[in-house]
Amino acid sequence: MQTWVIGNWKQNPATSHEAGALVQGLLAAIDAKSAPIACQLMVAPSSIHLAAVSTQIKGTLLLAAAQDISAHSDSIGAYTGDCSAQQVADAGATWILLGHSERRQYHQESHEALIQKLSCALKQNLGVIFCIGETQAQYDDDQTLDVIDEQLSLIKDLLEQQLEIGNPLSERLLIAYEPVWAIGTGKVPTVAEVSATHQHIKQTLAGFSAELANISVLYGGSVNADNAQDFATDSMIDGALVGGASLKVESFLAIADAFGQNSE
Ligand code: PEP
């Protein structure tokens, strides 16, 4: 299966100059490699850097994702501060991160708002990296699979709405399993725990629709150059969503190499 390594830059770096230098460093390091990277690489810059980064990576193997879109309209409208799916696509994004725990926590993104964002993204032909995962308290209470089922039910709701969404959902959906307690903390679940959770996610999606039987499921949460290989060798883990370690060329490419070795 194709593997994916996606860098979520969050609200980093501080300047457009630094964002440009990061992309330049990445492209130079990729070019200098003796063998091509075998996984699909993607970066998700902040909205303000998206257009410039997209221009820089045009014609390369790197893809660009946006970190958020408006829930209110996929196109234009009186929604101060929002960027629509059409606008981020026009700026060069082909994918979008949705459901990230930081957006759920700091922006109170609800199930309903996420359905609206998901349908806006799909209407504009963006691929969606849908993030799910339990908090520390939920993990401690053994509620991981219940939380995931609840979060994944959004995909079922979307299918039931039978929206006109153009290309098949199976080609435009990735799931990122990110335990909230592992994000930016240096704490990680065991590979066996992640593997079992991914198996559950894959079975659940296949139960929603046969079309979703082969959706890729990525792991996210404190992935770094040292632990990437352990995750990459598990057949249930189809890639990584990487925060902190995606801001350094060396660590991001080390993670890409680990998953590239396990790409088919
Ligand atoms: C993330 O925010 O999606 C993430 C996985 O962050 P980190 O790699 O820094 O834990």
Side-chain angles (χ1 to χ4, degrees):
M1 199 179 215
Q2 147 108 80
T3 54
W4 302 76
V5 172
I6 303 172
N8 174 14
W9 291 1
K10 312 192 187 195
Q11 197 175 288
N12 298 293
T15 65
S16 52
H17 179 77
E18 288 169 273
L22 178 54
V23 177
Q24 213 172 11
L26 259 180
L27 294 177
I30 292 169
D31 263 1
K33 281 191 163 296
S34 49
I37 291 181
C39 66
Q40 177 61 63
L41 275 183
M42 196 186 304
V43 292
S46 66
S47 321
I48 195 79
H49 297 147
L50 179 62
V53 168
S54 299
T55 303
Q56 260 184 299
I57 65 177
K58 208 171 183 157
T60 74
L61 295 174
L62 272 177
L63 298 175
Q67 294 181 18
D68 186 36
I69 47 169
S70 171
H72 303 294
S73 159
D74 67 302
S75 182
I76 54 173
Y79 306 109
T80 302
D82 276 7
C83 279
S84 73
Q86 186 177 24
Q87 288 171 327
V88 301
D90 181 60
T94 47
W95 288 80
I96 169 90
L97 288 173
L98 287 181
H100 193 282
S101 61
E102 287 154 14
R103 301 237 20 121
R104 293 181 194 261
Q105 181 184 353
Y106 301 125
H107 298 271
Q108 288 75 45
E109 283 192 353
S110 64
H111 190 91
E112 288 65 35
L114 283 170
I115 289 215
Q116 281 175 286
K117 289 187 179 199
L118 200 56
S119 49
C120 286
L122 294 172
K123 273 188 213 153
Q124 291 293 334
N125 225 7
L126 292 168
V128 173
I129 304 138
F130 184 57
C131 305
I132 57 176
E134 80 287 358
T135 62
Q136 179 77 64
Q138 291 163 334
Y139 173 79
D140 292 342
D141 270 0
D142 216 6
Q143 288 175 1
T144 299
L145 299 187
D146 294 335
V147 171
I148 277 167
D149 286 348
E150 163 65 22
Q151 292 171 335
L152 280 180
S153 68
L154 184 138
I155 306 291
K156 193 172 176 215
D157 293 349
L158 185 88
L159 290 172
E160 281 170 3
Q161 287 183 13
Q162 296 188 317
L163 296 169
E164 290 288 324
I165 54 173
N167 292 342
L169 190 54
S170 56
E171 289 170 17
R172 290 186 296 143
L173 180 67
L174 299 173
I175 303 293
Y177 168 55
E178 301 204 298
V180 180
W181 53 272
I183 296 179
T185 58
K187 292 196 280 184
V188 288
T190 64
V191 175
E193 284 176 305
V194 175
S195 186
T197 306
H198 281 206
Q199 185 167 19
H200 176 83
I201 294 167
K202 286 172 190 247
Q203 279 167 354
T204 305
L205 291 172
F208 291 164
S209 158
E211 188 209 343
L212 302 184
N214 293 316
I215 293 289
S216 295
V217 182
L218 283 49
Y219 168 72
S222 295
V223 177
N224 58 39
D226 297 329
N227 62 21
Q229 190 62 37
D230 295 340
F231 291 114
T233 44
D234 191 282
S235 65
M236 285 288 148
I237 305 176
D238 305 317
L241 179 55
V242 186
S246 70
L247 296 169
K248 295 239 159 51
V249 171
E250 301 72 31
S251 46
F252 190 53
L253 289 191
I255 297 166
D257 280 335
F259 280 94
Q261 282 161 21
N262 294 282
S263 202
E264 282 167 17

